[in-house]
C-alpha cells in the first residue's frame, strides 16, 4: 500500500499543534524550538497541496483534512500568541482577534456553501497569500523575541501582526464575493456542484 505523502504532511501539521503550544507557553528559553515547529508546520502547509497535484495523490480525505488542519493550527497559534504576548504588546490582541474571526467566518461561509450543495475544493491565490502572511508574521515575531530584544518590539510586533491581519481581511473579502457568486449559481473555477455531479454520475451509470 503506497503512502499518501500529502495527507501524511497534513496529519503531521495537526500533530505539531500541541508541541508548538506547549513549547511556546513554557517560556523564552523554548522559543527556538517552538519556532522550529512553526516553520515545519508552515512548510507542510505549503507542500501538501503542491505534492498532491504533482504526485497525483489528491483525495477526498485530503480536501477535508487540509482546511481543518489550517484552522486548528491558526486557532492554536493565535491563542498561544495572545496568552504569551498580550501584556507586553497590547495591540497584538486586535490583530490576533481579527485573524481568529476571519477563520471563524471562513468556516461558517464554507458550511453555508456546502449546505447549498456546492463545495470549493481549491484555495485561491489570495487565500494562499494570506496563509503565507500569517506564517511569516508569526515566525518573524517569535524570531524577534529571540534575537532582537533590544529593538522597540512593543511597536514592531503589533505592526507585523496587524499587517498579516490586514492581508487576511483582504482574503476574507475576496472569498466573500466569490461565495456570493457560488450561491447565485455562477460558475467558479475549483468548485464542485454536488447536484450536477450526481446527475452526471447517474447518466453515466444509465449509459453503462
Amino acid at each position: 500500500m503506497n503512502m499518501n505523502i500529502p495527507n501524511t504532511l497534513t496529519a503531521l501539521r495537526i500533530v505539531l499543534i500541541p508541541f508548538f503550544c506547549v513549547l511556546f507557553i513554557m517560556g523564552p528559553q523554548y522559543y527556538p524550538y517552538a519556532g522550529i515547529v512553526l516553520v515545519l508546520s508552515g512548510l507542510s502547509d505549503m507542500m501538501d497541496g503542491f505534492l498532491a497535484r504533482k504526485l497525483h495523490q489528491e483525495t477526498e480525505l485530503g480536501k477535508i483534512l487540509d482546511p481543518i488542519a489550517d484552522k486548528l493550527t491558526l486557532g492554536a497559534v493565535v491563542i498561544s500568541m495572545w496568552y504569551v504576548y498580550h501584556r507586553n504588546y497590547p495591540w497584538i490582541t486586535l490583530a490576533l482577534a481579527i485573524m481568529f474571526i476571519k477563520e471563524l467566518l471562513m468556516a461558517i461561509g464554507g458550511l453555508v456553501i456546502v449546505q447549498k450543495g456546492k463545495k470549493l475544493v481549491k484555495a485561491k491565490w489570495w487565500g494562499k497569500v494570506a496563509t503565507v502572511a500569517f506564517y511569516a508574521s508569526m515566525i518573524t515575531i517569535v524570531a524577534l523575541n529571540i534575537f532582537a530584544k533590544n529593538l522597540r518590539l512593543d511597536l514592531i510586533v503589533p505592526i507585523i501582526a496587524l499587517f498579516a491581519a490586514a492581508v487576511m481581511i483582504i482574503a476574507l473579502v475576496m472569498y466573500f464575493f466569490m461565495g456570493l457568486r457560488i450561491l447565485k449559481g455562477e460558475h467558479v473555477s475549483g468548485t464542485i456542484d454536488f447536484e450536477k455531479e450526481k446527475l452526471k454520475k447517474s447518466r453515466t451509470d444509465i449509459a453503462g
Side-chain angles (χ1 to χ4, degrees), residues 198-208:
K198 286 179 183 177
L199 183 60
K200 190 185 297 183
K201 187 177 184 303
S202 64
R203 287 174 177 172
T204 303
D205 291 341
I206 293 171

Side-chain angles (χ1 to χ4, degrees), residues 5-199:
I5 296 174
N7 288 357
T8 302
L9 287 175
T10 304
L12 173 64
R13 195 154 78 252
I14 296 174
V15 171
L16 289 174
I17 292 171
F19 287 95
F20 169 80
C21 294
V22 171
L23 288 169
F24 193 63
I25 292 172
M26 283 175 68
Q29 66 270 34
Y30 294 96
Y31 286 177
Y33 306 108
I36 290 170
V37 172
L38 194 56
V39 169
L40 290 174
S41 178
L43 289 174
S44 73
D45 192 15
M46 287 190 290
M47 293 301 296
D48 57 4
F50 170 76
L51 290 175
R53 293 185 294 274
K54 192 76 173 176
L55 301 176
H56 305 291
Q57 290 187 335
E58 293 179 289
T59 65
E60 284 303 312
L61 175 62
K63 292 170 185 176
I64 295 170
L65 203 59
D66 185 58
I68 291 174
D70 289 344
K71 285 165 178 54
L72 288 176
T73 300
L74 186 141
V77 172
V78 163
I79 292 170
S80 299
M81 284 276 181
W82 179 84
Y83 180 82
V84 172
Y85 288 147
H86 76 278
R87 291 185 182 88
N88 293 334
Y89 317 124
W91 278 100
I92 201 173
T93 299
L94 174 61
L96 296 175
I98 290 171
M99 296 176 190
F100 191 86
I101 292 170
K102 180 262 183 187
E103 286 303 309
L104 182 61
L105 292 175
M106 287 287 297
I108 294 171
L111 289 174
V112 170
I113 288 174
V114 169
Q115 287 181 343
K116 295 295 184 180
K118 303 178 190 298
K119 179 182 177 184
L120 183 66
V121 296
K122 291 183 180 179
K124 297 300 180 180
W125 67 265
W126 54 82
K128 295 177 182 178
V129 169
T131 299
V132 171
F134 169 75
Y135 273 107
S137 66
M138 297 297 103
I139 291 169
T140 301
I141 288 170
V142 174
L144 287 172
N145 278 272
I146 298 171
F147 302 112
K149 294 180 181 179
N150 58 322
L151 297 178
R152 285 291 308 276
L153 296 187
D154 60 321
L155 180 64
I156 297 172
V157 166
I159 288 174
I160 293 171
L162 286 168
F163 169 77
V167 175
M168 293 175 76
I169 288 175
I170 293 171
L172 175 63
V173 172
M174 299 285 281
Y175 275 122
F176 173 75
F177 285 112
M178 187 185 70
L180 289 180
R181 289 176 57 203
I182 293 173
L183 294 176
K184 287 178 181 178
E186 297 180 26
H187 174 72
V188 174
S189 176
T191 303
I192 290 177
D193 187 317
F194 293 132
E195 293 302 321
K196 288 183 179 179
E197 288 297 315
K198 286 179 183 177
L199 183 60

